[in-house]
Amino acid sequence: MITKPDSPLRVLLLGGTTEAAALARALADDKRLAATLSLAGRTANPVASPLPVRIGGFGGVDGLSAYLAHARIDLVIDATHPFAARMSANAISAAAAVGIPLLAIERPPWTRTGGDDWIEYDSIEAAIAGLPAAPQNVFSALGRQAIPALSKAPQHRYLIRVVDASDAPANLPHATMIAARGPFRAEDDIELFSRHGIRHVLAKNAGGNAAYAKIEAARKLGIKVHMVRRPAIAARETVTSVEAALAWITRHHQLRSERGV
Ligand code: 3Y8
Ligand code: NAP
């Protein structure tokens, strides 16, 4: 699409993570850009952003492609969570369909270190099936969307952390819900796990620092972590930091100035 060289570069930021929030703050201060933050609308009160925010799905690849064309987006940045595999796959297809550059910000996965007692699985269901059969005190950091999977093993005493307060599901008779959105602190998770006599932690390999507290707490307390590996995502240009994403935007801004379009 043709845009005047001095008009701002239009950036769509697919967000919903700590990195996206940090990038949004950086983009809001950059007068060369007109950026929009996009959220799925999963949480009731998402963290306020200095960018204009659009909330809700686009309507699959076609909906996203139409949005990119209609809003004349110049660059897409995927700063969604490593488990937001469908959003990332749609972004790859739609950016290719409309012919605009896409960059993903991916934080490195957590890796097991000395003192960690992990078992790794390829799915949430496998991790839950990996718990001992006898009733255990289990901390679930898999979120609200994983609650139906937990009800496959209702015998456990679950402590389930979710973003928005909700009642324990009727089919999980021994579940306690706690509402918190992070970032989390190790000392708080240590206190929480000790208070509830937690012996197992269910977690996704989110990476990043904001939710690593539970991993540190488990290591400190000798608790087994049932870690769900990330889903595979097709190849795309990727960086691991906000700074690298800003450098990528600057390169594309310079390219457009040189092309004079
Ligand atoms: C709506 C935006 C910030 C951002 C906080 C990060 C850190 C905490 C790790 C635990 C693990 C979990 C969950 C978690 C993490 C950060 C970051 C991250 C895990 C918010 C946010 C949105 C969501 C959606 C929500 C999911 C849920 C997952 C809770 C905002 C707070 C468990 C995933 O109720 C629901 O439907 C919630 C759904 C997807 C997973 C699930 O299946 O339930 N995140 N999380 C985004 C949108 O609408 O587009 O509300 O402001 C963002 C954050 N979530 O403020 O610093 O950056 O990774 N979020 C997991 O990774 O295991 C919590 O408790 O230890
Ligand atoms: P997902 O399964 O990959 O996506 C399902 C659908 O939700 C997408 O196809 C899209 O709908 C919509 N969607 C997802 N992210 C969106 C965004 N940023 N803006 C607009 N629409 C979006 O996604 P998810 O795992 O449910 O994650 C939802 C949000 O929570 C994302 O912002 C993600 O970054 C954040 N989050 C997820 C996790 C997690 O564990 N999954 C953890 C932390 C934060 P359409 O097809 O209609 O466009």
Side-chain angles (χ1 to χ4, degrees):
M1 59 214 62
I2 305 297
T3 48
K4 293 195 303 300
D6 56 352
S7 64
L9 211 57
R10 281 178 291 277
V11 180
L12 175 66
L13 175 57
L14 299 171
T17 59
T18 308
E19 284 73 11
L23 183 56
R25 286 191 291 275
L27 298 184
D29 300 339
D30 191 328
K31 296 299 164 249
R32 301 170 304 170
L33 311 174
T36 300
L37 173 67
S38 177
L39 297 177
R42 278 265 189 283
T43 53
N45 303 297
V47 171
S49 174
L51 288 183
V53 182
R54 66 160 301 288
I55 295 186
F58 294 95
V61 175
D62 293 347
L64 178 54
S65 302
Y67 175 89
L68 296 175
H70 180 72
R72 294 167 46 222
I73 298 296
D74 298 300
L75 301 175
V76 184
I77 296 183
D78 179 356
T80 61
H81 187 275
F83 280 73
R86 177 181 299 280
M87 185 71 259
S88 294
N90 290 2
I92 292 169
S93 303
V98 179
I100 54 177
L102 165 72
L103 179 77
I105 302 187
E106 238 179 49
R107 52 218 167 165
W110 298 319
T111 49
R112 188 188 339 217
T113 62
D116 283 341
D117 179 8
W118 287 11
I119 305 176
E120 296 187 77
Y121 306 85
D122 288 333
S123 72
I124 283 175
E125 292 71 17
I128 294 164
L131 292 168
Q136 306 288 323
N137 292 345
V138 178
F139 177 74
S140 172
L142 300 177
R144 180 173 62 92
Q145 298 173 93
I147 287 175
L150 294 178
S151 53
K152 297 281 191 303
Q155 71 274 27
H156 299 303
R157 290 175 295 279
Y158 289 112
L159 183 60
I160 303 173
R161 181 149 69 189
V162 291
V163 179
D164 296 321
S166 54
D167 297 334
N171 58 359
L172 280 182
H174 314 296
T176 304
M177 310 294 284
I178 44 175
R181 72 167 50 240
F184 303 100
R185 297 186 322 161
E187 52 268 40
D188 297 335
D189 279 0
I190 288 169
E191 194 280 327
L192 181 70
F193 293 175
S194 304
R195 182 152 36 95
H196 290 268
I198 298 296
R199 298 308 311 143
H200 296 268
V201 167
L202 292 166
K204 296 176 186 171
N205 198 325
N209 305 318
Y212 191 62
K214 57 185 176 285
I215 308 302
E216 291 174 272
R219 181 185 312 129
K220 186 97 176 166
L221 297 171
I223 293 172
K224 192 176 286 292
V225 174
H226 302 266
M227 182 68 77
V228 182
R229 292 188 190 94
R230 299 173 167 190
I233 295 178
R236 66 234 165 118
E237 193 171 359
T238 301
V239 294
T240 58
S241 72
V242 167
E243 295 68 30
L246 291 169
W248 181 82
I249 291 172
T250 297
R251 272 202 310 282
H252 281 280
H253 186 266
Q254 283 162 350
L255 275 174
R256 189 186 68 169
S257 309
E258 285 155 15
R259 284 201 309 267
V261 292

